């Protein structure tokens, strides 16, 4: 079934509550504590909390996790294994967040980084696959030109016209029409296979489409080409285990489903369904109802409706897709700018009914990648439930078992004192959006380590 895409915003839009259409979004759900030492060191095991595992050695400096406000190390919120399908680089994404009360609602209290490593085995397979697709594209275009030529001159045989002969000499062409990011599952390391090319070479396609899994048995013997390669450095020799952390939890993944559009109402013959956008006296009550609800944040309502289909979601991953805004604030206006409306008439007696304005996602306001100057694309966002999951799991580890009445009273007293002190802890964001370099560039001078753009919508 074709993915359901959604790229515009309007107060008049409404989401349903069923689950029939699969979207392009992958949802990250909590799936229990990570209790395996091997999994903790495995870069390809996506997680919430815990300490990071890295692809390259030497590992990045711990300053990457420092809050830009208090300069203290922050806790890792998520680590996601997410190589781009059309890139030869293995890739992991890390997001850190500061929980100190004085740093909330300040820029730099949430930071995201990407770690890259060149995968030579997958690079060869990728080049072979792209070359094959280029040839297929040339053949397709040549066939189309031959077909068009035969329509112009039906008395000439197909494939013998100059147009048809010249089509095969067009040279190499860039393959188009596919998603440059692919649809690989970014949360877990199971085998991913690309869709077959539907030609006469299925075995070759399967060999080419094994993704960042390392390929055949000979290539899988190379530790550098394994998707499930362990971290290059030992945790015992690293300063990272001394950094503060939440309890590590597995990230499970599932597709997002949304309700099918409601069927159009059946009207008697000759009847018309009045559209509020068309105006007129009969539309007055509709416009009044809309005016009466102007104080309601429709963006937040839509957020809650969308998230309500899967309340446990902690991460939304949709590389190259559209973020789901938490509310109507400056971040929303930046990503979904209001279009310029038609000029208001100044002549008396003239009236103009303006339809509800559509806000279309426009990432043009995002800063370019400082490494390559390329565009940024939306990659993922953290959801409010992540705060609850990390907080509750860490609290359970710190105080196993049921609290006594005396312990409960002391806990309440500590919480009340913290509310009026600068030591208050707790993250207050509604959603954290991460925007990544579209080119997946590799800053070798910085040891394949680069910071991504983060936009935070705070919980008002």
């Amino acid at each position: 079934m074709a993915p359901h895409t959604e790229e515009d915003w309007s107060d008049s839009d409404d989401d349903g509550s069923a689950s029939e259409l699969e979207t392009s979004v992958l949802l990250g759900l909590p799936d229990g504590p990570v209790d395996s030492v091997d999994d903790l060191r495995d870069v390809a095991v996506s997680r919430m909390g815990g300490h990071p595992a890295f692809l390259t050695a030497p590992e990045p400096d711990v300053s990457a996790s420092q809050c830009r406000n208090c300069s203290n190390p922050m806790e890792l919120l998520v680590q996601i294994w997410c190589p781009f399908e059309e890139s030869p680089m293995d890739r992991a994404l890390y997001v850190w967040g500061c929980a100190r009360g004085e740093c909330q609602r300040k820029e730099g209290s949430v930071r995201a980084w990407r770690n890259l490593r060149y995968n030579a085995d997958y690079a060869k397979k990728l080049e072979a696959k792209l070359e094959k697709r280029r040839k297929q594209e040339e053949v397709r275009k040549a066939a189309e030109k031959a077909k068009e030529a035969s329509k112009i001159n039906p008395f000439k045989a197909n494939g013998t016209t100059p147009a048809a002969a010249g089509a095969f000499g067009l040279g190499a062409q860039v393959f188009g029409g596919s998603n440059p990011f692919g649809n690989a599952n970014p949360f877990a390391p199971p085998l991913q296979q690309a869709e077959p090319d539907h030609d006469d070479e299925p075995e070759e396609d399967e060999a080419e489409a094994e993704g960042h899994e390392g390929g055949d048995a000979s290539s899988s013997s190379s530790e550098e080409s394994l998707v499930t390669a362990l971290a290059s450095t030992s945790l015992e020799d690293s300063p990272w285990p001394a950094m503060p952390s939440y309890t590590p939890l597995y990230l499970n993944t599932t597709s997002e489903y949304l309700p099918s559009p409601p069927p159009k109402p059946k009207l008697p013959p000759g009847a018309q369904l009045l559209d509020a956008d068309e105006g007129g006296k009969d539309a007055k009550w509709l416009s009044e109802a809309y005016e009466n609800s102007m104080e309601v944040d429709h963006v937040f309502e839509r957020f809650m409706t969308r998230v309500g289909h899967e309340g446990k979601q902690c991460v939304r991953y949709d590389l190259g897709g559209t973020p789901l805004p938490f509310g109507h604030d400056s971040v929303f206006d930046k990503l979904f700018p209001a279009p310029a409306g038609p000029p208001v008439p100044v002549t008396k007696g003239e009236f103009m009914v303006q339809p509800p304005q559509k806000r279309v996602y426009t990432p043009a306001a995002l800063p370019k990648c400082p490494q390559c100057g390329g565009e940024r694309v939306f990659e993922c966002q953290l959801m409010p439930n992540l705060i609850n999951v990390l907080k509750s799991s860490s609290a359970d580890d710190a105080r196993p078992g049921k609290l006594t009445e005396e312990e409960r009273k002391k806990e309440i007293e500590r919480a009340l004192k913290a509310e009026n002190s600068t030591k208050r802890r707790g993250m207050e964001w509604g959603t954290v959006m991460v925007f990544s370099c579209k080119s997946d560039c590799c800053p070798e001078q910085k040891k394949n380590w680069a910071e991504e753009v983060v936009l935070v919508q705070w919980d008002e």
Side-chain angles (χ1 to χ4, degrees), residues 336-392:
F336 297 84
V344 179
V346 295
T347 305
K348 291 184 178 180
E350 292 187 12
F351 299 94
M352 181 180 295
V353 178
Q354 296 184 10
Q357 289 185 326
K358 291 281 186 178
R359 289 177 175 258
V360 179
Y361 171 57
T362 307
L366 295 171
K368 304 293 184 181
C369 174
Q371 310 296 330
C372 67
E375 297 179 354
R376 299 278 186 176
V377 293
F378 172 72
E379 182 169 5
C380 67
Q381 65 188 104
L382 311 186
M383 306 303 285
N385 189 46
L386 176 63
I387 298 176
N388 300 327
V389 171
L390 292 176
K391 182 178 179 181
S392 61

Side-chain angles (χ1 to χ4, degrees), residues 77 246-247 249 384-399 411 415 425-427:
L77 302 183
Y246 297 107
T247 301
L249 303 171
N385 189 46
L386 176 63
I387 298 176
N388 300 327
V389 171
L390 292 176
K391 182 178 179 181
S392 61
S393 62
S394 298
D396 291 342
D397 281 358
R399 298 182 300 277
E411 183 67 22
R425 288 183 58 82
M427 293 177 287

